Short mmCIF file of all heavy atoms in Angstrom, two decimals:
data_model
loop_
_atom_site.label_atom_id
_atom_site.label_comp_id
_atom_site.label_asym_id
_atom_site.label_seq_id
_atom_site.Cartn_x
_atom_site.Cartn_y
_atom_site.Cartn_z
N THR R 135 11.78 -0.35 -26.95
CA THR R 135 12.48 -0.61 -28.20
C THR R 135 12.22 -2.05 -28.63
O THR R 135 11.89 -2.90 -27.79
CB THR R 135 14.01 -0.40 -28.03
OG1 THR R 135 14.50 -1.39 -27.12
CG2 THR R 135 14.33 1.00 -27.55
N PRO R 136 12.36 -2.34 -29.91
CA PRO R 136 12.13 -3.71 -30.37
C PRO R 136 13.03 -4.74 -29.66
O PRO R 136 12.58 -5.85 -29.37
CB PRO R 136 12.45 -3.65 -31.87
CG PRO R 136 12.21 -2.22 -32.24
CD PRO R 136 12.58 -1.42 -31.04
N GLU R 137 14.26 -4.36 -29.35
CA GLU R 137 15.17 -5.29 -28.66
C GLU R 137 14.70 -5.59 -27.24
O GLU R 137 14.69 -6.74 -26.80
CB GLU R 137 16.60 -4.74 -28.64
CG GLU R 137 17.60 -5.62 -27.93
CD GLU R 137 17.76 -7.03 -28.52
OE1 GLU R 137 17.29 -7.30 -29.65
OE2 GLU R 137 18.35 -7.87 -27.83
N VAL R 138 14.27 -4.56 -26.52
CA VAL R 138 13.76 -4.77 -25.16
C VAL R 138 12.50 -5.62 -25.20
O VAL R 138 12.34 -6.54 -24.40
CB VAL R 138 13.52 -3.42 -24.44
CG1 VAL R 138 12.77 -3.62 -23.13
CG2 VAL R 138 14.84 -2.70 -24.19
N THR R 139 11.61 -5.33 -26.15
CA THR R 139 10.38 -6.12 -26.27
C THR R 139 10.70 -7.58 -26.57
O THR R 139 10.09 -8.49 -25.98
CB THR R 139 9.47 -5.54 -27.37
OG1 THR R 139 9.16 -4.18 -27.03
CG2 THR R 139 8.19 -6.33 -27.51
N ARG R 140 11.65 -7.84 -27.44
CA ARG R 140 12.06 -9.21 -27.76
C ARG R 140 12.58 -9.92 -26.51
O ARG R 140 12.18 -11.07 -26.23
CB ARG R 140 13.15 -9.19 -28.84
CG ARG R 140 13.59 -10.57 -29.31
CD ARG R 140 14.74 -10.48 -30.31
NE ARG R 140 15.99 -10.12 -29.67
CZ ARG R 140 16.76 -10.97 -28.98
NH1 ARG R 140 16.40 -12.21 -28.82
NH2 ARG R 140 17.89 -10.55 -28.44
N LEU R 141 13.40 -9.24 -25.74
CA LEU R 141 13.95 -9.84 -24.52
C LEU R 141 12.87 -10.02 -23.45
O LEU R 141 12.88 -11.00 -22.70
CB LEU R 141 15.11 -8.98 -23.99
CG LEU R 141 16.36 -8.94 -24.85
CD1 LEU R 141 17.34 -7.89 -24.34
CD2 LEU R 141 17.01 -10.31 -24.94
N GLU R 142 11.93 -9.09 -23.36
CA GLU R 142 10.81 -9.22 -22.42
C GLU R 142 10.01 -10.47 -22.70
O GLU R 142 9.66 -11.22 -21.78
CB GLU R 142 9.88 -8.01 -22.50
CG GLU R 142 10.41 -6.75 -21.88
CD GLU R 142 9.56 -5.55 -22.18
OE1 GLU R 142 8.91 -5.49 -23.26
OE2 GLU R 142 9.54 -4.63 -21.34
N LEU R 143 9.72 -10.69 -23.97
CA LEU R 143 8.95 -11.88 -24.35
C LEU R 143 9.69 -13.15 -23.98
O LEU R 143 9.10 -14.09 -23.44
CB LEU R 143 8.64 -11.87 -25.85
CG LEU R 143 7.52 -10.93 -26.26
CD1 LEU R 143 7.50 -10.75 -27.78
CD2 LEU R 143 6.19 -11.48 -25.77
N ILE R 144 10.97 -13.19 -24.26
CA ILE R 144 11.76 -14.38 -23.93
C ILE R 144 11.74 -14.64 -22.44
O ILE R 144 11.43 -15.75 -21.98
CB ILE R 144 13.21 -14.24 -24.44
CG1 ILE R 144 13.26 -14.25 -25.96
CG2 ILE R 144 14.11 -15.33 -23.86
CD1 ILE R 144 14.60 -13.84 -26.55
N TYR R 145 12.04 -13.61 -21.66
CA TYR R 145 12.10 -13.76 -20.20
C TYR R 145 10.74 -14.14 -19.63
O TYR R 145 10.63 -15.04 -18.79
CB TYR R 145 12.62 -12.47 -19.57
CG TYR R 145 12.80 -12.55 -18.08
CD1 TYR R 145 13.83 -13.29 -17.52
CD2 TYR R 145 11.93 -11.88 -17.22
CE1 TYR R 145 13.99 -13.38 -16.15
CE2 TYR R 145 12.09 -11.96 -15.85
CZ TYR R 145 13.12 -12.70 -15.33
OH TYR R 145 13.28 -12.79 -13.96
N PHE R 146 9.69 -13.46 -20.06
CA PHE R 146 8.34 -13.73 -19.56
C PHE R 146 7.92 -15.16 -19.89
O PHE R 146 7.41 -15.88 -19.03
CB PHE R 146 7.36 -12.73 -20.17
CG PHE R 146 5.96 -12.83 -19.63
CD1 PHE R 146 5.64 -12.30 -18.38
CD2 PHE R 146 4.96 -13.44 -20.36
CE1 PHE R 146 4.35 -12.39 -17.88
CE2 PHE R 146 3.67 -13.53 -19.87
CZ PHE R 146 3.36 -13.00 -18.62
N GLN R 147 8.16 -15.58 -21.11
CA GLN R 147 7.72 -16.92 -21.51
C GLN R 147 8.55 -18.02 -20.85
O GLN R 147 8.05 -19.11 -20.61
CB GLN R 147 7.73 -17.04 -23.03
CG GLN R 147 6.62 -16.22 -23.65
CD GLN R 147 6.62 -16.23 -25.16
OE1 GLN R 147 7.62 -16.52 -25.80
NE2 GLN R 147 5.49 -15.89 -25.75
N VAL R 148 9.79 -17.72 -20.53
CA VAL R 148 10.60 -18.69 -19.78
C VAL R 148 10.06 -18.84 -18.36
O VAL R 148 10.10 -19.92 -17.78
CB VAL R 148 12.09 -18.28 -19.78
CG1 VAL R 148 12.88 -19.00 -18.71
CG2 VAL R 148 12.70 -18.50 -21.15
N ARG R 149 9.54 -17.76 -17.81
CA ARG R 149 9.01 -17.80 -16.44
C ARG R 149 7.64 -18.48 -16.35
O ARG R 149 7.28 -18.98 -15.28
CB ARG R 149 8.91 -16.38 -15.89
CG ARG R 149 10.28 -15.79 -15.61
CD ARG R 149 10.14 -14.53 -14.87
NE ARG R 149 9.40 -14.77 -13.65
CZ ARG R 149 9.71 -14.25 -12.49
NH1 ARG R 149 10.72 -13.46 -12.40
NH2 ARG R 149 8.98 -14.48 -11.43
N LEU R 150 6.87 -18.48 -17.42
CA LEU R 150 5.51 -19.04 -17.37
C LEU R 150 5.46 -20.49 -16.89
O LEU R 150 4.61 -20.82 -16.05
CB LEU R 150 4.81 -18.89 -18.72
CG LEU R 150 4.37 -17.46 -19.07
CD1 LEU R 150 3.76 -17.42 -20.46
CD2 LEU R 150 3.40 -16.91 -18.05
N PRO R 151 6.30 -21.39 -17.38
CA PRO R 151 6.24 -22.77 -16.86
C PRO R 151 6.54 -22.85 -15.36
O PRO R 151 6.13 -23.80 -14.70
CB PRO R 151 7.30 -23.51 -17.67
CG PRO R 151 7.45 -22.72 -18.92
CD PRO R 151 7.22 -21.29 -18.52
N GLY R 152 7.23 -21.86 -14.81
CA GLY R 152 7.53 -21.84 -13.39
C GLY R 152 6.33 -21.55 -12.51
O GLY R 152 6.39 -21.70 -11.29
N TYR R 153 5.22 -21.11 -13.12
CA TYR R 153 4.01 -20.85 -12.34
C TYR R 153 3.56 -22.09 -11.57
O TYR R 153 3.12 -21.99 -10.43
CB TYR R 153 2.87 -20.39 -13.24
CG TYR R 153 2.85 -18.92 -13.58
CD1 TYR R 153 3.94 -18.09 -13.35
CD2 TYR R 153 1.74 -18.36 -14.16
CE1 TYR R 153 3.90 -16.74 -13.67
CE2 TYR R 153 1.69 -17.01 -14.49
CZ TYR R 153 2.78 -16.21 -14.24
OH TYR R 153 2.73 -14.89 -14.55
N LEU R 154 3.68 -23.25 -12.19
CA LEU R 154 3.25 -24.47 -11.51
C LEU R 154 4.10 -24.72 -10.27
O LEU R 154 3.57 -24.98 -9.19
CB LEU R 154 3.31 -25.68 -12.45
CG LEU R 154 2.96 -27.02 -11.81
CD1 LEU R 154 1.54 -27.00 -11.26
CD2 LEU R 154 3.14 -28.15 -12.81
N MET R 155 5.41 -24.62 -10.41
CA MET R 155 6.29 -24.86 -9.26
C MET R 155 6.06 -23.80 -8.18
O MET R 155 6.06 -24.12 -6.99
CB MET R 155 7.75 -24.86 -9.71
CG MET R 155 8.71 -25.27 -8.62
SD MET R 155 8.37 -26.87 -7.86
CE MET R 155 8.86 -27.97 -9.15
N MET R 156 5.86 -22.56 -8.60
CA MET R 156 5.59 -21.49 -7.65
C MET R 156 4.30 -21.78 -6.87
O MET R 156 4.25 -21.61 -5.65
CB MET R 156 5.47 -20.15 -8.40
CG MET R 156 5.39 -18.94 -7.54
SD MET R 156 5.55 -17.36 -8.41
CE MET R 156 4.37 -17.47 -9.72
N ALA R 157 3.28 -22.26 -7.56
CA ALA R 157 2.01 -22.56 -6.90
C ALA R 157 2.13 -23.77 -5.97
O ALA R 157 1.62 -23.75 -4.85
CB ALA R 157 0.92 -22.80 -7.95
N LEU R 158 2.83 -24.81 -6.43
CA LEU R 158 3.00 -26.00 -5.60
C LEU R 158 3.79 -25.68 -4.33
O LEU R 158 3.43 -26.13 -3.24
CB LEU R 158 3.70 -27.11 -6.39
CG LEU R 158 2.86 -27.80 -7.46
CD1 LEU R 158 3.74 -28.72 -8.31
CD2 LEU R 158 1.71 -28.58 -6.84
N THR R 159 4.86 -24.92 -4.47
CA THR R 159 5.65 -24.59 -3.29
C THR R 159 4.87 -23.69 -2.33
O THR R 159 5.00 -23.82 -1.11
CB THR R 159 7.00 -23.93 -3.65
OG1 THR R 159 6.76 -22.77 -4.44
CG2 THR R 159 7.90 -24.89 -4.40
N THR R 160 4.02 -22.83 -2.87
CA THR R 160 3.18 -21.99 -2.02
C THR R 160 2.17 -22.85 -1.26
O THR R 160 1.94 -22.64 -0.06
CB THR R 160 2.46 -20.91 -2.84
OG1 THR R 160 3.44 -20.09 -3.46
CG2 THR R 160 1.55 -20.05 -1.97
N ALA R 161 1.58 -23.83 -1.92
CA ALA R 161 0.63 -24.73 -1.26
C ALA R 161 1.32 -25.50 -0.13
O ALA R 161 0.78 -25.59 0.99
CB ALA R 161 0.01 -25.70 -2.26
N LEU R 162 2.51 -26.01 -0.40
CA LEU R 162 3.21 -26.78 0.63
C LEU R 162 3.73 -25.88 1.75
O LEU R 162 3.67 -26.26 2.92
CB LEU R 162 4.36 -27.58 0.00
CG LEU R 162 3.91 -28.74 -0.88
CD1 LEU R 162 5.09 -29.37 -1.60
CD2 LEU R 162 3.17 -29.78 -0.06
N ALA R 163 4.22 -24.69 1.40
CA ALA R 163 4.65 -23.75 2.44
C ALA R 163 3.47 -23.37 3.33
O ALA R 163 3.62 -23.29 4.56
CB ALA R 163 5.27 -22.51 1.80
N SER R 164 2.32 -23.16 2.72
CA SER R 164 1.12 -22.81 3.49
C SER R 164 0.73 -23.96 4.42
O SER R 164 0.30 -23.73 5.56
CB SER R 164 -0.03 -22.48 2.55
OG SER R 164 0.26 -21.33 1.81
N PHE R 165 0.88 -25.18 3.96
CA PHE R 165 0.60 -26.35 4.80
C PHE R 165 1.51 -26.36 6.02
O PHE R 165 1.05 -26.47 7.16
CB PHE R 165 0.76 -27.64 4.00
CG PHE R 165 0.79 -28.87 4.86
CD1 PHE R 165 -0.36 -29.37 5.43
CD2 PHE R 165 1.99 -29.53 5.09
CE1 PHE R 165 -0.33 -30.50 6.23
CE2 PHE R 165 2.03 -30.66 5.88
CZ PHE R 165 0.87 -31.16 6.46
N TYR R 166 2.82 -26.22 5.78
CA TYR R 166 3.76 -26.26 6.90
C TYR R 166 3.58 -25.08 7.85
O TYR R 166 3.73 -25.23 9.06
CB TYR R 166 5.20 -26.33 6.39
CG TYR R 166 5.55 -27.72 5.92
CD1 TYR R 166 5.78 -27.97 4.58
CD2 TYR R 166 5.64 -28.78 6.81
CE1 TYR R 166 6.08 -29.25 4.14
CE2 TYR R 166 5.94 -30.06 6.38
CZ TYR R 166 6.16 -30.29 5.05
OH TYR R 166 6.45 -31.55 4.62
N GLN R 167 3.25 -23.93 7.32
CA GLN R 167 2.98 -22.78 8.19
C GLN R 167 1.71 -23.03 9.01
O GLN R 167 1.66 -22.70 10.19
CB GLN R 167 2.85 -21.51 7.37
CG GLN R 167 4.17 -21.06 6.78
CD GLN R 167 4.02 -20.04 5.68
OE1 GLN R 167 2.91 -19.66 5.30
NE2 GLN R 167 5.13 -19.59 5.13
N GLY R 168 0.71 -23.65 8.39
CA GLY R 168 -0.55 -23.92 9.07
C GLY R 168 -0.42 -24.94 10.19
O GLY R 168 -1.16 -24.88 11.17
N ILE R 169 0.54 -25.87 10.08
CA ILE R 169 0.72 -26.85 11.16
C ILE R 169 1.78 -26.39 12.16
O ILE R 169 2.18 -27.14 13.04
CB ILE R 169 1.08 -28.26 10.61
CG1 ILE R 169 2.41 -28.26 9.87
CG2 ILE R 169 -0.05 -28.82 9.76
CD1 ILE R 169 2.94 -29.65 9.52
N GLY R 170 2.23 -25.13 12.00
CA GLY R 170 3.17 -24.57 12.96
C GLY R 170 4.61 -24.95 12.73
O GLY R 170 5.40 -24.97 13.67
N ARG R 171 4.97 -25.27 11.48
CA ARG R 171 6.36 -25.64 11.15
C ARG R 171 6.92 -24.69 10.09
O ARG R 171 7.29 -25.11 9.00
CB ARG R 171 6.41 -27.08 10.63
CG ARG R 171 5.73 -28.13 11.50
CD ARG R 171 6.57 -28.90 12.48
NE ARG R 171 7.87 -29.31 12.11
CZ ARG R 171 8.20 -30.49 11.62
NH1 ARG R 171 7.29 -31.40 11.38
NH2 ARG R 171 9.47 -30.78 11.37
N PRO R 172 7.00 -23.39 10.37
CA PRO R 172 7.42 -22.42 9.35
C PRO R 172 8.91 -22.50 8.98
O PRO R 172 9.33 -21.92 7.99
CB PRO R 172 7.10 -21.07 9.99
CG PRO R 172 7.23 -21.32 11.46
CD PRO R 172 6.71 -22.73 11.65
N MET R 173 9.69 -23.21 9.78
CA MET R 173 11.13 -23.32 9.47
C MET R 173 11.36 -24.14 8.20
O MET R 173 12.35 -23.92 7.51
CB MET R 173 11.87 -23.96 10.65
CG MET R 173 11.80 -23.13 11.93
SD MET R 173 12.66 -21.58 11.79
CE MET R 173 14.30 -22.11 12.15
N ILE R 174 10.48 -25.06 7.89
CA ILE R 174 10.65 -25.91 6.70
C ILE R 174 10.57 -25.07 5.43
O ILE R 174 11.48 -25.11 4.61
CB ILE R 174 9.66 -27.09 6.72
CG1 ILE R 174 10.01 -28.04 7.87
CG2 ILE R 174 9.67 -27.83 5.37
CD1 ILE R 174 8.99 -29.11 8.13
N PRO R 175 9.50 -24.26 5.23
CA PRO R 175 9.48 -23.43 4.03
C PRO R 175 10.61 -22.40 4.00
O PRO R 175 11.14 -22.08 2.94
CB PRO R 175 8.12 -22.73 4.07
CG PRO R 175 7.32 -23.39 5.10
CD PRO R 175 8.24 -24.19 5.96
N MET R 176 11.01 -21.91 5.19
CA MET R 176 12.12 -20.96 5.22
C MET R 176 13.41 -21.62 4.74
O MET R 176 14.14 -21.05 3.93
CB MET R 176 12.32 -20.42 6.63
CG MET R 176 13.42 -19.38 6.72
SD MET R 176 13.99 -19.06 8.40
CE MET R 176 14.88 -20.57 8.75
#
Side-chain angles (χ1 to χ4, degrees):
T135 65
E137 179 60 13
V138 170
T139 301
R140 183 184 73 79
L141 293 171
E142 285 171 330
L143 283 167
I144 292 169
Y145 183 72
F146 185 78
Q147 289 177 339
V148 163
R149 289 190 57 138
L150 287 177
Y153 276 13
L154 176 61
M155 187 56 72
M156 188 169 52
L158 287 171
T159 56
T160 299
L162 290 173
S164 296
F165 167 75
Y166 283 112
Q167 290 164 358
I169 63 170
R171 309 265 321 264
M173 298 294 276
I174 293 171
M176 182 196 72

